Amino acid sequence: MPRPVQDRYIRNQQTISAEDQECLGRSRVVILGLGGLGGGVCEMLARIGIGELVLVDGDRFETSNLNRQLFSREDNIGQFKAEAAAIRVCEINSRVRVTVYKAFFKADTADAMINGADLIVDCLDTIHDRFLLQKAAAKLGIPLVSGAIAGVTGQVTVIFPGDPGFDAIYGPDAASGSHERGVEQTTGNLAHCAMFVASLQVAECLKVLLKKGELLQNRLLIADLWQNSVEVMEL
């Protein structure tokens, strides 16, 4: 049997008030991509008490995911990532409502996947798809928290409807570019960087949902874990 709700979230208290916890419990968050970033984001948001998670990913686990993707295991290679994420959420917090899309994010399905969300978390792995997401989110008036990693570097930003967002980061011409993945295909991705950037994304999620703290809106945080450097650039 689940423990009483006051016990479950007792370690959230003082930092998160009872009213904050109720707000999180009413929130609907869409996570797009459930790999290195998305798995960490999903785990943390479920534990902290988000009321509803919409989990979107059409990919299945493969052996190369084992180095960093939280929900990948030796015995679930070939399983849909979204399916594994949903099982994990139910195991750690049965109060969270879960909707699963075992499908890739595309322009013609975007509205159905994100409609009604309070917030979207971008854990996608192509620049092209990020531009599609920004357009769809702006149309529906939904803010998004975006993260990306390559090797041991990562970036995080927050984009509200009307913000320049990815146009300022990648340039407007990148929107019509290739669907191919970026530099991480050369650099690889390491587990500690994925979890670090996922943690930063979750921090921004809470600030957006609770309307507290200083957001990375119109700013880009860039971290290099080899150099122990963290910079925040104005966009």
Side-chain angles (χ1 to χ4, degrees), residues 155-231:
Q155 65 182 46
V156 179
T157 192
V158 176
I159 304 172
F160 278 76
D163 290 344
F166 297 131
D167 291 292
I169 296 170
Y170 301 114
D173 292 341
S176 58
S178 170
H179 288 256
E180 292 301 314
R181 298 177 182 181
V183 68
E184 69 274 8
Q185 293 298 292
T186 301
T187 62
N189 286 319
L190 297 186
H192 63 290
C193 185
M195 297 305 174
F196 176 76
V197 173
S199 296
L200 294 175
Q201 287 184 276
V202 170
E204 294 302 302
C205 287
L206 295 191
K207 288 187 279 185
V208 172
L209 293 171
L210 299 177
K211 298 178 173 61
K212 292 186 174 183
E214 185 176 351
L215 290 173
L216 288 170
Q217 184 181 8
N218 294 319
R219 298 189 297 164
L220 181 68
L221 183 151
I222 302 174
D224 182 331
L225 300 185
W226 282 136
Q227 303 299 325
N228 292 323
S229 68
V230 178
E231 299 180 60

Side-chain angles (χ1 to χ4, degrees), residues 27-31 45 50 52-54 117-121 209:
S27 298
R28 187 174 196 256
V29 177
V30 178
I31 304 174
L45 290 182
I50 297 299
E52 183 175 359
L53 291 174
V54 180
D118 297 296
L119 178 65
I120 303 161
V121 191
L209 293 171

Side-chain angles (χ1 to χ4, degrees), residues 14-152:
Q14 306 310 315
T15 299
I16 295 178
S17 69
E19 292 76 17
D20 291 339
Q21 195 69 61
E22 291 175 4
C23 176
L24 296 179
R26 295 190 299 269
S27 298
R28 187 174 196 256
V29 177
V30 178
I31 304 174
L32 293 171
L34 292 156
L37 289 177
V41 169
C42 180
E43 175 93 7
M44 286 182 271
L45 290 182
R47 288 188 181 277
I48 209 162
I50 297 299
E52 183 175 359
L53 291 174
V54 180
L55 308 177
V56 182
D57 198 319
D59 202 6
R60 298 173 184 263
F61 287 121
E62 54 189 50
T63 305
S64 64
N65 301 148
L66 290 168
N67 82 312
R68 70 198 183 283
Q69 296 192 13
L70 192 60
F71 303 144
S72 65
R73 307 187 311 271
E74 291 183 356
D75 65 351
N76 74 347
I77 301 302
Q79 184 179 26
F80 278 104
K81 295 179 182 182
E83 182 178 73
I87 292 170
R88 176 63 175 170
V89 170
C90 292
E91 288 174 343
I92 60 178
N93 193 345
S94 60
R95 291 182 173 87
V96 179
R97 301 177 300 281
V98 179
T99 301
V100 174
Y101 288 95
K102 292 183 283 190
F104 293 106
F105 180 77
K106 296 180 180 178
D108 58 352
T109 58
D111 287 5
M113 290 176 172
I114 68 175
N115 193 28
D118 297 296
L119 178 65
I120 303 161
V121 191
D122 161 32
C123 301
L124 298 167
D125 54 14
T126 73
I127 294 172
H128 179 272
D129 286 346
R130 292 191 185 108
F131 275 96
L132 289 180
L133 172 58
Q134 179 174 277
K135 182 177 180 180
K139 182 175 72 172
L140 295 174
I142 306 170
L144 68 94
V145 174
S146 175
I149 56 174
V152 292

